[in-house]
Amino acid sequence: MASRTWTRALMVALALPRTLANKFLGRAPTEPSRVLVAADVVLGDTIMLAPLIAKIRHRWPKTRISIVCRPAFVSLFEGHPWGVETLSIDMRNPLSLLAARARYDLALCPAQTRHGWLAAALGARWIVGFAGDPRLAKRFCLNEQRPMPKEAMTFGDMGALLVGGPPPPPFAPEQWSHPATQGCRHNAQRIVLHLGASGVNKLWPTERWQALVSALQADGFEPCLVTGPGEDRLIREVDPEGTLPSHEGTLSLPQYWALLASSRALICPDTGIAHLGRITGTPTIALFGPGSPLLGGAGEFWRQSPYVALWEQDVSCRDQNDYFERAVIWVRHCWRKPPECDNPRCIRAVSVNAVLDAAQALLRR
């Protein structure tokens, strides 16, 4: 069936009896044999679940860990980092929901509280998420609500707070292997420039990409332009003559993984590809505009990764504090789009010289 309606109806039908049983009979497990991470989120946030997964493995070495993952991202986990298994839920296919059902002793919802419904439908006996969602219907399936941190913290480090105990060891690339990296030929001169982003106000101006390309070529590097699907025009705008190597939305995640693993560095806006660079250990420069590295940057878990976040901190219109349908006072980002915001001075505050200086320092490391 193509409609999501049937899958959602099935989810509610499965979740309600499970939730009622959990509220009357459920108990927080001390040694769960099976843990579910329920977060149907975008690429960058999926990768940023790594601190939570690592902490689960660190605290319960023998537990079986499953993560809900969009079908497009399953290939990320083919190497089974920390022994995690993927549950590919296609909301257009109710059978995918039924196939993923099992007895999960513990379910963790690091993003929206509504994912508690998904966890209950999949068979979770105790469901934990963050407090702060004012809507009872969304948080109805949670058995336990942890307080949001009072100080700034990345989404990844925050998610790990759902599990008690000390933080996990910092990330190292060997913790997340992938077949796509095997046999890749390294090009020490190639620097990947990912031009696209999830929103138009995250895009760096075309003329600055062009100036950056010229500067990198003058230093002997080989810029490679890449975009996601449907963003071909960005490459044509930066390189109208078509003289640079490019990939116009044609790379699968494993192929992109291989490209980054065999390149000298990655420069891109604040988008999911910036997080992919952390997995491969590729020196990465992320250009932040409406977003904030306080929430979407490296944080503690990725502190040893070769990564630099560039942003202009004092932008008054970066003043929205919604976080996964909660109001969090220290969150400062902006989701305004044209015509409400036709001049995103946040991303335009990042200069070419700042990028070049960061690249020079990062490559020296």
Side-chain angles (χ1 to χ4, degrees):
M1 299 179 183
S3 174
R4 299 170 184 263
T5 303
W6 293 108
T7 305
R8 288 170 178 158
L10 177 62
M11 183 186 301
V12 172
L14 295 172
L16 276 175
R18 181 71 265 160
T19 298
L20 294 175
N22 290 351
K23 290 186 179 297
F24 288 103
L25 304 174
R27 294 181 181 179
T30 55
E31 293 288 336
S33 61
R34 191 162 186 177
V35 176
L36 172 69
V37 178
D40 180 19
V41 288
V42 297
L43 175 62
D45 291 340
T46 299
I47 295 173
M48 290 186 75
L49 293 173
L52 174 58
I53 299 170
K55 191 172 182 180
I56 295 170
R57 176 60 63 223
H58 191 60
R59 180 170 180 183
W60 298 302
K62 296 182 179 180
T63 195
R64 186 175 175 183
I65 307 172
S66 300
I67 179 174
V68 174
C69 181
R70 297 182 183 182
F73 306 153
V74 168
S75 59
L76 282 175
F77 298 94
E78 288 181 4
H80 300 288
W82 302 285
V84 71
E85 304 170 352
T86 56
L87 302 177
S88 180
I89 307 295
D90 183 352
M91 292 301 293
R92 296 166 297 183
N93 181 6
L95 295 179
S96 68
L97 186 67
L98 293 173
R101 281 174 53 81
R103 181 188 174 96
Y104 302 100
D105 303 301
L106 174 66
L108 305 170
C109 302
Q112 290 97 331
T113 56
R114 62 180 174 82
H115 290 148
W117 285 92
L118 175 60
L122 294 178
R125 264 54 177 177
W126 190 261
I127 305 172
V128 182
F130 285 112
D133 193 324
R135 297 161 300 178
L136 175 61
K138 297 290 185 178
R139 65 176 192 269
F140 178 72
C141 296
L142 298 185
N143 298 102
E144 184 179 345
Q145 297 183 61
R146 300 285 177 87
M148 296 289 296
K150 297 181 179 180
E151 298 180 352
M153 183 178 294
T154 64
F155 169 62
D157 292 335
M158 191 186 310
L161 296 179
L162 292 178
V163 175
F171 178 78
E174 58 267 21
Q175 294 172 329
W176 200 325
S177 61
H178 196 284
T181 63
Q182 303 301 315
C184 294
R185 183 178 179 182
H186 186 73
N187 183 343
Q189 309 312 122
R190 181 173 56 226
I191 294 183
V192 176
L193 307 182
H194 182 92
L195 309 180
S198 57
V200 64
N201 284 355
K202 285 187 173 186
L203 298 176
W204 207 37
T206 298
E207 64 273 11
R208 299 197 186 176
W209 283 118
Q210 291 174 329
L212 179 63
V213 166
S214 297
L216 292 175
Q217 288 176 324
D219 287 339
F221 293 107
E222 300 174 10
C224 176
L225 307 183
V226 187
T227 64
E231 298 176 324
D232 302 1
R233 65 171 182 81
L234 298 176
I235 290 181
R236 293 193 296 272
E237 290 171 358
V238 173
D239 182 27
E241 302 299 325
T243 60
L244 297 173
S246 63
H247 300 278
E248 300 181 356
T250 58
L251 296 178
S252 65
L253 275 178
Q255 289 170 332
Y256 211 142
W257 182 304
L259 177 68
L260 292 182
S262 60
S263 298
R264 183 70 176 274
L266 164 68
I267 302 174
C268 63
D270 163 33
T271 190
I273 295 302
H275 303 287
L276 184 61
R278 295 204 197 109
I279 301 177
T280 63
T282 306
T284 299
I285 299 173
L287 316 181
F288 279 81
S292 165
L294 300 179
L295 190 60
E300 284 298 306
F301 183 69
W302 307 93
R303 65 183 181 273
Q304 295 182 359
S305 299
Y307 171 89
V308 174
L310 294 180
W311 70 316
E312 177 58 48
Q313 184 171 357
D314 297 322
V315 176
S316 59
C317 54
R318 196 191 285 114
D319 59 357
Q320 296 175 328
N321 65 355
D322 55 304
Y323 171 79
F324 287 122
E325 302 169 335
R326 308 172 183 88
V328 181
I329 190 169
W330 54 261
V331 170
R332 290 288 183 270
H333 51 199
C334 174
W335 299 113
R336 299 177 181 91
K337 302 176 181 179
E340 187 178 6
C341 176
D342 288 319
N343 181 27
R345 58 189 183 90
C346 50
I347 188 63
R348 294 175 184 177
V350 180
S351 68
V352 175
N353 286 337
V355 176
L356 291 172
D357 290 343
Q360 188 177 48
L362 192 60
L363 294 179
R364 277 202 303 265
R365 286 174 53 191

